[in-house]
Amino acid sequence: MTGITHIRYPIAALACWIAFAYTLVPLLRGHRRNAGLTALCVSFGCQGMYLAMSTPARWTGTLFGTITWYNVSVQLWIIAVLASQQILLIHWMYPRDEARVRARRRLLLLAVVPVTMVVLFFLATLQGPPRNVFKNLGDQPFFVAYQAAYLTAFVVGKILVARACWHFAKLTDHAWVRRGLRIAAAGAAVELVYPAGRYADVFLTQYGWNPLQWSDVSRTTLTIGMVLNIVGWTAPLWGPRVSAVRGWLADYRSYRLLRPLWLALHRAHPEISLPSSTGSDLSALYDLRFHLHRRVIEIRDGCLALRGHHGDPGAVLSPGQGAAEAEAAHIAAALAAGPRAPGQVPDGLAAGGAAPATGSPAAGGADGTAPDSAGTGEVPASAAAGGPDFSADVAWLVQVSRAFARLRPAVTRPDGEPVRTL
C-alpha cells in the first residue's frame, strides 16, 4: 500500500465509526424495531471494518502480490455494506410488512454473492496462491472468476443504490432526507470508479495496462465515495440541527437589523419597552426567540404611539420609493415632528379616524408600491402588516428598519434640534 493509504483509510474509518456510534445510540435507547435504522447502523459498521482492516500494510500484504483469505474477508465487508444499504432503502420505500418480505428476498439473493466468492477463491487456492497479477488470465481462471464476481456485484449494487436514492429523493418532502439521498447517490456514483479500475487491472494488464499507475486513483475514489455515503445517510440525523443553527443565526441577524427602528421608537416613547430591557443585542443571546418577539411587539407599540404625532413624509421620501421606504418615511416624519398639541387633529386624518399602515404591502397598491397618500401627512398605525405569520412580519419590519436606517432624514424638530433616527 502506498503512503497516502495510511492517511486516507484511518480518517475514513474514524468517520465510519463515529457514524456507527451516532446511529447505535438511538437503537440502544429503544428503537431496536426500526429495521431501517438498524440497517444503516450495520452499513456504517461494515464500512468501518473494511477501512480499518485495509489500513495496516503488514496485514494486507503487497498490493499486487499474494492474496490471502484476509483480503477476501475485506472485500466481503464491502458486499455486506451493499446489502445493508439496499435493505435500508427497501424499508424506506415500502410499507413495513411489504418491506420485510422484500428485504428477506433481497438478502437471500445477495447471499449468493459471498458464497460464490468463497467457493471461487477456495478453488483458486487449489491451483496455488492467488496473485494480483493478470498478464495471462489462463494461469488462474478461478481467481479471475472470483474478481469478476466481486466487481460485478459491486457495480450492480452501487447502481441499484444510486438509482434508488435518486428516485426516493424525488418522492420525499423532508428536505434533509432529500439532500442526504442525493449525496448518497453521488457517493455511490463516485465509487464506481473503483471497480472500473479493478476491471482494467484484471482484463487489460495483458494489453499494457499499468495497475500501479491507477491504483491510488481507484482506491481514493472509493474512500471519497464512502465519505459521501456517510454524509448522505446521516443527513436526516444531523441536518435538522444545522437548520436550527441557521434559523438561530437568521433570527439574530433580524434582531440586530431591527435595532435602528426600535431604538428610534424607544427614544421617542420609552414606555414601549419592558422595564428590564437593556436594549443590548448581546442580552438577546439567551432566549433569542423571546427577545425577537419582544422587539417586534415593541416596534408595533411604538408605531401605534406615533398616532399622537404629526409630520410630512414627503420631507424624507423621494419619488419612486417602494413600500418599505414609504413606511420608513412616515415613521421618520412622525418622529421628526414630535407629539401634536392636545386637541390637535393629525394632518390628513378625519376626526376619530385611524391611520393606515400606508407603507405596508397590505395598504399599498397591487404591485406593492407606496400609495398616493404618501404626501398627505398620514402617519402609520402599525408597521407590521408584512404577512399573516410572525416570520413574514419580521421580514417586513426588517425591510422597514433598513430603509429607515438609510433615510437619515434632514428634518428637525419644532425646537430646531436635529432628529437622530439611529
Side-chain angles (χ1 to χ4, degrees):
M1 305 291 279
T2 59
I4 191 173
T5 301
H6 296 283
I7 299 175
R8 66 168 178 253
Y9 277 12
I11 293 176
L14 178 61
C16 286
W17 289 119
I18 292 175
F20 173 79
Y22 194 78
T23 53
L24 181 63
V25 171
L27 289 176
L28 298 178
R29 288 180 177 176
H31 293 82
R32 293 180 179 87
R33 294 185 178 181
N34 190 328
L37 187 60
T38 302
L40 181 62
C41 185
V42 171
S43 172
F44 290 140
C46 293
Q47 288 188 64
M49 287 297 299
Y50 160 76
L51 293 166
M53 294 175 68
S54 300
T55 300
R58 65 179 182 276
W59 291 356
T60 57
T62 58
L63 181 60
F64 296 103
T66 302
I67 302 298
T68 66
W69 281 101
Y70 182 89
N71 301 77
V72 177
S73 66
V74 173
Q75 295 177 341
L76 290 178
W77 284 116
I78 294 292
I79 301 301
V81 172
L82 294 172
S84 57
Q85 289 178 352
Q86 292 182 49
I87 298 304
L88 168 63
L89 289 169
I90 288 174
H91 281 280
W92 276 6
M93 295 175 66
Y94 299 98
R96 179 180 298 181
D97 294 337
E98 183 180 358
R100 289 177 179 176
V101 176
R102 288 179 176 269
R104 293 192 189 100
R105 293 175 180 174
R106 184 63 59 88
L107 283 176
L108 290 175
L109 178 63
L110 292 173
V112 175
V113 177
V115 172
T116 302
M117 291 173 58
V118 170
V119 171
L120 289 174
F121 188 79
F122 175 75
L123 294 176
T125 58
L126 298 180
Q127 296 180 328
R131 294 175 296 107
N132 247 334
V133 179
F134 302 96
K135 291 185 177 180
N136 188 352
L137 300 181
D139 292 343
Q140 41 184 358
F142 290 109
F143 187 58
V144 171
Y146 164 85
Q147 291 288 346
Y150 164 63
L151 295 174
T152 302
F154 188 100
V155 171
V156 173
K158 286 300 176 182
I159 291 177
L160 290 175
V161 169
R163 289 185 59 185
C165 286
W166 198 261
H167 174 71
F168 188 70
K170 299 177 181 178
L171 303 180
T172 180
D173 295 329
H174 194 292
W176 280 105
V177 172
R178 180 170 58 254
R179 294 167 186 163
L181 287 174
R182 288 176 177 173
I183 293 174
V190 170
E191 287 181 277
L192 289 175
V193 177
Y194 166 75
R198 291 298 294 150
Y199 269 126
D201 295 343
V202 175
F203 297 103
L204 298 182
T205 300
Q206 56 184 324
Y207 301 106
W209 173 268
N210 184 2
L212 292 175
Q213 185 176 357
W214 299 101
S215 60
D216 271 339
V217 175
S218 60
R219 285 161 177 78
T220 299
T221 56
L222 179 62
T223 306
I224 293 174
M226 286 188 172
V227 172
L228 290 175
N229 276 321
I230 296 172
V231 174
W233 292 118
T234 58
L237 300 177
W238 52 259
R241 298 185 180 183
V242 174
S243 296
V245 172
R246 291 174 59 186
W248 188 93
L249 293 174
D251 284 348
Y252 187 68
R253 180 175 180 271
S254 297
Y255 183 82
R256 287 181 55 87
L257 290 175
L258 289 174
R259 181 175 176 80
L261 180 58
W262 172 85
L263 185 58
L265 294 171
H266 172 74
R267 286 174 175 171
H269 294 277
E271 69 276 5
I272 66 174
S273 301
L274 292 174
S276 59
S277 178
T278 63
S280 171
D281 290 340
L282 294 178
S283 65
L285 295 177
Y286 175 76
D287 200 359
L288 175 61
R289 199 65 178 175
F290 166 78
H291 285 86
L292 181 60
H293 274 82
R294 188 63 220 174
R295 178 155 287 187
V296 169
I297 292 171
E298 291 174 357
I299 289 175
R300 291 172 174 171
D301 292 344
C303 291
L304 288 174
L306 291 186
R307 289 185 298 182
H309 293 231
H310 61 85
D312 180 13
V316 292
L317 181 63
S318 301
Q321 295 292 336
E325 287 76 8
E327 189 80 15
H330 280 81
I331 295 173
L335 289 171
R340 66 178 183 270
Q344 182 182 357
V345 178
D347 298 338
L349 294 180
T358 55
S360 68
D367 58 353
T369 58
D372 295 336
S373 59
T376 64
E378 296 175 358
V379 290
S382 172
D389 54 36
F390 178 73
S391 298
D393 283 346
V394 171
W396 165 248
L397 286 176
V398 166
Q399 295 181 43
V400 175
S401 182
R402 297 181 71 173
F404 182 82
R406 291 192 300 265
L407 282 177
R408 300 179 182 272
V411 294
T412 58
R413 296 186 187 277
D415 56 6
E417 181 184 352
V419 177
R420 296 187 61 185
T421 59
L422 298 180

